[in-house]
Amino acid sequence: MLLQHKWLWLPAILILLYPVIVGGSNYYIILINMVGINAISAMALNLLTGYGGQISVGHSGFLAIGAYAAAIFSTKLGVAFWLALPLGGVVTGVIGLLIGIPAVRLKGHFLAVATLGFAVSIPLIAMKWDSLTGGFAGISVKKPGLFAGSTPFYYLVVFVTAFLAWIIYNLIHSRLGRAFIAIRESEIAAEVMGINVPLYKAFMFALSAFFTGLAGGLYVFMVGFISPNDFTLTTSFLILAMIVVGGLASLPGSILGAALLTLLPYMTDRWIGVTNAVIGLAMGAIILFLPHGLASLWKRRRRQAQAAQTGEEGEVSPFVNI
């Protein structure tokens, strides 16, 4: 897939050797784990928004549901880690489908407002449903035995992130993905081509929620705890910012955006009040100078190389589709 580009082998080797490079430091390993978890969330949202054209500001709710579901399966039902993690994703996917069915009739900012309400309601439900979620006290989760250490869990996150990127990549380039893109471009034209638009839009929500739920499950097993305050509305806006900064309709862009907006706060947290300003400035600079995201740099370079060969100039599409 993506490793067919020779220049990607170096980052791949660095990722594999990263625990050795940082001397096994838990802090730096967990930091990159968060990049991987956020990258999964960003790719899931990009599948819905970048490729499907459906704006969602509710993905923090899906993260919370996936985390709580995995924690409940693991602690209260005694389900093994290998089963609790995908089951958390399935539960989240089913709820995403239930959210998507009424939401398919909404468009643009109306859909954004609806998903915004969903994101706000999930932490409140978690706070009030003490018998299931533990309320304010949250749920403590035992880390999986084989991946109890930070380094083994790091390789698990790397594997899951790469595996899900491969799955989403193949989904995008399948008949299903082409239907998503057709709906994004024009729902009327998609209907004329025989695409059941409401069904596909609901399925988009279910798929996006499923992948996001897996990210939430990875988070709770990494941290060993989940509470209503872990995934707030700010998380939703941050994930949305990741795909805008990285590039809509771009899987590499999702990963780049997740890396940038995950690492920036950790680089600036020593200065009180500076973090949000730095993130805002970074986003503003990218939107001004790279309106199609960081991934458009590669697309632009490739088009320039083609233009140099043919003697023609080309513009970068607003949807990168990598």
Side-chain angles (χ1 to χ4, degrees):
M1 189 184 91
L2 296 175
L3 288 181
Q4 61 185 336
H5 303 293
K6 294 180 179 179
W7 59 273
L8 284 176
W9 282 104
L10 179 59
I13 293 172
L14 290 175
I15 289 171
L16 291 175
L17 296 178
Y18 179 78
V20 178
I21 294 172
V22 299
S25 169
N26 286 340
Y27 175 82
Y28 290 110
I29 289 175
I30 291 173
L31 182 59
I32 300 303
N33 283 348
M34 283 305 304
V35 172
I37 290 169
N38 285 336
I40 295 171
S41 304
M43 288 188 292
L45 180 58
N46 222 339
L47 179 64
L48 178 66
T49 302
Y51 291 97
Q54 310 304 306
I55 301 174
S56 170
V57 196
H59 268 54
S60 63
F62 293 135
L63 276 169
I65 291 170
Y68 271 109
I72 290 167
F73 278 120
S74 177
T75 58
K76 299 194 175 185
L77 300 179
V79 176
F81 162 75
W82 293 106
L83 191 55
L85 181 63
L87 280 176
V90 170
V91 169
T92 313
V94 171
I95 293 176
L97 180 63
L98 296 177
I99 295 296
I101 290 173
V104 296
R105 301 189 181 279
L106 302 174
K107 297 180 182 179
H109 57 279
F110 295 107
L111 178 58
V113 170
T115 56
L116 180 67
F118 169 73
V120 171
S121 65
I122 293 301
L124 296 177
I125 293 172
M127 286 181 190
K128 300 297 182 181
W129 203 347
D130 292 27
S131 59
L132 184 66
T133 65
F136 286 100
I139 302 175
S140 295
V141 181
K142 185 179 179 181
K143 296 189 177 182
L146 185 60
F147 301 101
S150 58
T151 298
F153 200 88
Y154 165 83
Y155 286 111
L156 173 67
V157 172
V158 168
F159 170 77
V160 173
T161 304
F163 181 64
L164 293 182
W166 176 75
I167 290 177
I168 295 173
Y169 176 89
N170 284 285
L171 276 173
I172 291 164
H173 291 83
S174 68
R175 184 174 179 271
L176 182 65
R178 290 191 292 272
F180 288 174
I181 294 171
I183 293 171
R184 178 195 72 192
E185 297 299 326
S186 172
E187 291 188 16
I188 295 175
E191 288 180 352
V192 170
M193 290 188 293
I195 296 172
N196 188 330
V197 172
L199 177 64
Y200 275 87
K201 286 172 72 174
F203 195 49
M204 283 184 214
F205 270 93
L207 277 176
S208 184
F210 169 74
F211 293 125
T212 308
L214 292 178
L218 283 174
Y219 174 85
V220 75
F221 281 114
M222 180 186 73
V223 176
F225 179 77
I226 179 66
S227 73
N229 295 323
D230 285 352
F231 300 111
T232 63
L233 187 59
T234 303
T235 307
S236 283
F237 285 115
L238 189 62
I239 298 171
L240 185 60
M242 287 174 186
I243 66 171
V244 172
V245 168
L248 291 173
S250 170
L251 295 187
S254 301
I255 297 170
L256 288 172
L260 179 64
L261 295 185
T262 302
L263 297 177
L264 270 179
Y266 287 92
M267 294 176 182
T268 59
D269 62 356
R270 67 183 68 180
W271 300 291
I272 299 175
V274 172
T275 298
N276 290 336
V278 170
I279 291 176
L281 287 172
M283 287 183 59
I286 290 173
I287 291 171
L288 282 174
F289 300 106
L290 290 171
H292 306 314
L294 293 172
S296 65
L297 286 172
W298 164 249
K299 187 79 171 181
R300 182 178 300 171
R301 181 173 296 180
R302 189 169 61 183
R303 290 201 170 205
Q304 287 174 348
Q306 293 174 351
Q309 293 177 351
T310 61
E312 298 177 354
E313 294 185 359
E315 293 185 9
V316 180
S317 169
F319 295 101
V320 182
N321 284 330
I322 298 178

